[in-house]
Amino acid sequence: MHRIVIAFRAFFVVLFNRVRAEQVERALDAGAAKMVEPQSPQVISEKPPDKAPPKPARKAAARNDAINLLAAMQREARLVDFFKEPIAGYSDAQIGAAVRDVHRDCAALLDRLFGLKPIESAAEGAEIEIREGFDPARIRLVGNVAGQPPFRGRLCHHGWEALRCDLPEWTGSERSMLVVSPAEVELR
């Protein structure tokens, strides 16, 4: 009975997931190769038969992480819809109401995917000291930059850093690798 359940699960996984289908195909091919027995054990060949070159594994379609992120922002916050909507005919109040939803949903998505936190904990506008050996990738000096650290200056922006990068995994086809959001059709 358990094998029937596994067979049904495998059927639907193979039907809807191309990467899994290719993995199952490779596993079946490998299993079939092990099951082939020589027909006549008396025939001894001095030279072992040439092995067929291994089949090159089909490379799963890969898409750029930027598309994955854009697709997530569209799916969870309708960001692309918001920017592609002509807003000239809407009132400021209507635009503000739409921005509130997009802002909330995008912020939640960014927190979930990246766990963003400020690089500098001081309040913007506070005087801070930049010590010798600072990392220019983490702190960018602007204004009248001269001399050697330590520097004193006003914090203009606290910066951001990601604590993680958990982009959603994409498993679509090569044909759909640039799709940000599929078209939706409601059937009646």
Side-chain angles (χ1 to χ4, degrees):
M1 182 66 176
H2 183 64
R3 290 185 353 210
I4 293 173
V5 173
I6 292 172
F8 273 107
R9 287 180 58 201
F11 172 77
F12 286 107
V13 166
V14 167
L15 186 62
F16 295 109
N17 186 317
R18 190 174 66 80
V19 173
R20 293 296 177 131
E22 290 170 359
Q23 291 171 342
V24 169
E25 183 181 26
R26 284 195 297 274
L28 290 174
D29 289 347
K34 286 181 183 175
M35 293 176 64
V36 174
E37 297 288 330
Q39 292 294 324
S40 173
Q42 293 91 8
V43 177
I44 298 174
S45 170
E46 291 183 17
K47 181 182 172 195
D50 292 335
K51 282 187 175 181
K55 277 176 135 178
R58 280 191 227 162
K59 192 174 178 181
R63 80 174 180 178
N64 191 298
D65 284 342
I67 299 290
N68 286 341
L69 178 58
L70 189 60
M73 294 185 108
Q74 167 61 17
R75 183 178 56 252
E76 297 189 26
R78 297 287 188 182
L79 183 69
V80 176
D81 289 345
F82 175 75
F83 282 116
K84 297 302 283 182
E85 180 75 26
I87 60 172
Y90 293 111
S91 70
D92 288 350
Q94 290 172 313
I95 295 169
V99 166
R100 190 176 309 278
D101 292 340
V102 172
H103 180 271
R104 180 197 60 232
D105 295 342
C106 280
L109 178 67
L110 291 175
D111 283 343
R112 185 168 52 81
L113 297 181
F114 302 108
L116 296 174
K117 76 168 194 113
I119 291 175
E120 286 293 329
S121 59
E124 290 182 1
E127 286 285 323
I128 64 170
E129 180 177 293
I130 309 301
R131 295 192 176 131
E132 186 175 341
F134 74 95
D135 183 350
R138 295 179 60 83
I139 299 173
R140 182 176 54 209
L141 300 178
V142 297
N144 185 18
V145 181
Q148 297 296 318
F151 299 111
R152 290 208 59 82
R154 182 178 59 87
L155 182 63
C156 301
H157 188 271
H158 50 66
W160 293 107
E161 69 178 325
L163 300 179
R164 61 182 172 272
C165 182
D166 292 334
L167 287 177
E169 186 176 324
W170 178 77
T171 57
S173 68
E174 192 169 330
R175 185 173 178 212
S176 64
M177 70 174 30
L178 295 177
V179 171
V180 173
S181 175
E184 295 178 7
V185 178
E186 181 181 6
L187 303 180
R188 294 180 203 186

